[in-house]
């Protein structure tokens, strides 16, 4: 198990290019106030920057939302949830990112997971919390769901993570984590094959039954621009907030090495992620990476 901040730089091999060898000689400089990288195969720490400093995490919260849903005993991903007006009202009131779910539509749990993770739909998060939580009222059910999120954090041994929100919108500021803790959550969550399928999609179409029996097709685009921009990237989740700044949980496989990482409050989060992945995969592509552009009207997060 690694205990230092980073691995020693590997020696250049006969097949390694000079630029890649030079890049491996020094740790990358990041814009992030907090960052972490782990080896997905061994769970070993590769890199940490302020790894145990508590920070707001914005919509990266939704990785735990998804993990709780998917690890609910007996979960039926094809169960249909009827969208309530209260979900839309919540998004409008908070000015939150949305999957634009329409009142009365019947959407499956699986579809809601796409609406949660791709366009970062806070309405989808509300719907999932309301559907999976227990209690006789929406407030009780969503509170119950958040309790499940905190119970999972405790189960994972996380002492610096607390949730007071199912989507990252925190009124009291008691929705925080650390780079190390969030990487642990992501590592746990990505053991689920359904979630791995969801978060690697750059877009998704969902056909839902409307209240009048018709069909509505939702089209969602993944706010994570590392996908389709950095070779080997397959997730995971963006987040942006006033207190949190730009955040990113990312995963990629390069040169046979799979890493999961976290950027918290990074003004150049995608380049930060690419720099870390390059450094520990023995490649040099961050400088030439061109970000996948989101269509006009797509959610940003």
């Amino acid at each position: 198990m690694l205990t230092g901040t980073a691995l020693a730089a590997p020696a250049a091999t006969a097949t390694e290019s000079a630029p890649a060898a030079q890049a491996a000689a020094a740790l990358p400089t990041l814009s992030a106030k907090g960052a972490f990288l782990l080896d997905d195969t061994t769970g070993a720490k590769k890199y940490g920057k302020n790894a145990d400093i508590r920070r707001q995490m914005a919509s990266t919260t939704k990785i735990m939302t998804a993990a709780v849903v998917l690890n609910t005993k007996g979960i039926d991903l094809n169960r249909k949830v009827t969208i309530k007006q209260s979900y839309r009202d919540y998004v409008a009131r908070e000015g939150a990112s949305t999957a634009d779910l329409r009142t009365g539509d019947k959407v499956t749990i699986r579809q809601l997971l796409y609406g949660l993770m791709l366009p970062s739909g806070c309405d989808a998060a509300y719907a999932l919390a309301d559907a999976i939580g227990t209690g006789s009222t929406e407030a009780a059910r969503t509170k119950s769901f958040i309790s499940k999120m905190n119970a999972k954090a405790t189960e994972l041994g996380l002492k610096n993570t607390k949730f007071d929100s199912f989507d990252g919108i925190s009124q009291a500021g008691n929705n925080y984590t650390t780079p190390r803790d969030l990487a642990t959550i992501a590592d746990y969550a990505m053991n689920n094959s359904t979630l791995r399928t969801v978060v690697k999609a750059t877009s998704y179409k969902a056909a839902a039954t409307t209240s009048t029996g018709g069909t509505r097709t939702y089209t969602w685009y993944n706010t994570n621009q590392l996908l389709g921009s950095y070779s080997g990237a397959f997730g995971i989740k963006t987040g942006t907030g006033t207190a949190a700044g730009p955040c990113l949980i990312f995963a990629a496989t390069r040169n046979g090495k799979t890493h999961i990482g976290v950027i918290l409050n990074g003004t150049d989060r995608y380049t930060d992620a690419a720099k870390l992945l390059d450094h520990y995969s023995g490649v040099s592509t961050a400088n030439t990476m061109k970000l996948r552009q989101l269509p006009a009207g797509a959610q940003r997060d």
Side-chain angles (χ1 to χ4, degrees):
M1 180 67 68
L2 299 174
T3 56
T5 299
L7 283 174
T13 66
T15 58
E16 187 177 35
S17 66
Q22 291 163 4
L27 289 173
T29 300
L30 307 182
S31 71
K33 292 184 178 178
F36 199 83
L37 190 77
L38 60 78
D39 184 313
D40 186 47
T41 303
T42 65
K45 170 187 173 183
K46 291 297 189 73
Y47 176 92
K49 177 180 179 181
N50 297 324
D52 299 306
I53 300 296
R54 294 177 178 178
R55 299 187 184 279
Q56 295 286 312
M57 56 180 137
S59 282
T60 60
T61 295
K62 290 166 182 159
I63 187 74
M64 183 62 100
T65 307
V68 168
V69 170
L70 287 165
N71 288 280
T72 296
K73 186 176 180 180
I75 187 69
D76 178 5
L77 297 180
N78 295 317
R79 170 188 167 190
K80 291 188 176 181
V81 174
T82 301
I83 303 306
K84 300 177 183 178
Q85 182 62 37
S86 54
Y87 308 159
R88 291 184 62 83
D89 292 344
Y90 170 76
V91 165
R93 184 170 65 250
E94 298 295 339
S97 51
T98 177
D100 197 24
L101 298 172
R102 303 302 178 89
T103 304
D105 283 4
K106 293 177 174 57
V107 185
T108 67
I109 296 287
R110 188 189 307 276
Q111 290 169 333
L112 285 172
L113 288 167
Y114 279 95
L116 174 78
M117 300 302 284
L118 271 64
S120 199
C122 294
D123 46 356
Y126 197 150
L128 288 165
D130 191 20
I132 304 300
T134 57
S136 58
T137 65
E138 275 185 28
R141 289 189 293 273
T142 54
K143 183 178 180 180
S144 161
F145 186 86
I146 294 167
S147 294
K148 292 176 187 290
M149 296 168 71
N150 282 310
K152 180 57 68 177
T154 299
E155 181 185 320
L156 293 172
L158 309 181
K159 300 186 183 305
N160 290 305
T161 295
K162 183 177 179 181
F163 298 100
D164 70 357
S165 161
F166 49 71
D167 59 2
I169 297 175
S170 174
Q171 301 301 333
N174 289 322
N175 198 83
Y176 56 78
T177 190
T178 66
R180 187 194 306 272
D181 279 8
L182 193 50
T184 299
I185 294 169
D187 192 37
Y188 164 76
M190 291 291 278
N191 285 326
N192 186 282
S193 60
T194 296
L195 186 62
R196 291 174 79 96
T197 297
V198 170
V199 300
K200 73 180 181 182
T202 54
S203 65
Y204 182 77
K205 289 184 182 294
T209 303
T210 68
S211 59
T212 58
T215 300
R216 189 190 318 279
T217 300
Y218 292 95
T219 302
W220 297 312
Y221 297 95
N222 201 321
T223 59
N224 178 8
Q225 291 174 268
L226 198 67
L227 296 174
S229 305
Y230 188 88
S231 178
F234 59 90
I236 301 174
K237 185 72 190 75
T238 58
T240 303
T242 303
C247 303
L248 179 68
I249 312 173
F250 59 94
T253 300
R254 291 294 293 271
N255 276 357
K257 300 175 182 179
T258 300
H259 295 100
I260 289 177
V262 171
I263 299 295
L264 293 182
N265 206 337
T267 56
D268 198 2
R269 56 185 168 176
Y270 296 115
T271 300
D272 283 353
K275 284 179 177 179
L276 285 175
L277 291 167
D278 273 8
H279 184 86
Y280 291 101
S281 301
V283 298
S284 183
T285 57
N287 324 348
T288 57
M289 180 178 70
K290 297 191 183 305
L291 288 182
R292 171 179 59 90
Q293 297 302 299
L294 297 172
Q299 293 293 296
R300 267 71 176 170
D301 181 31

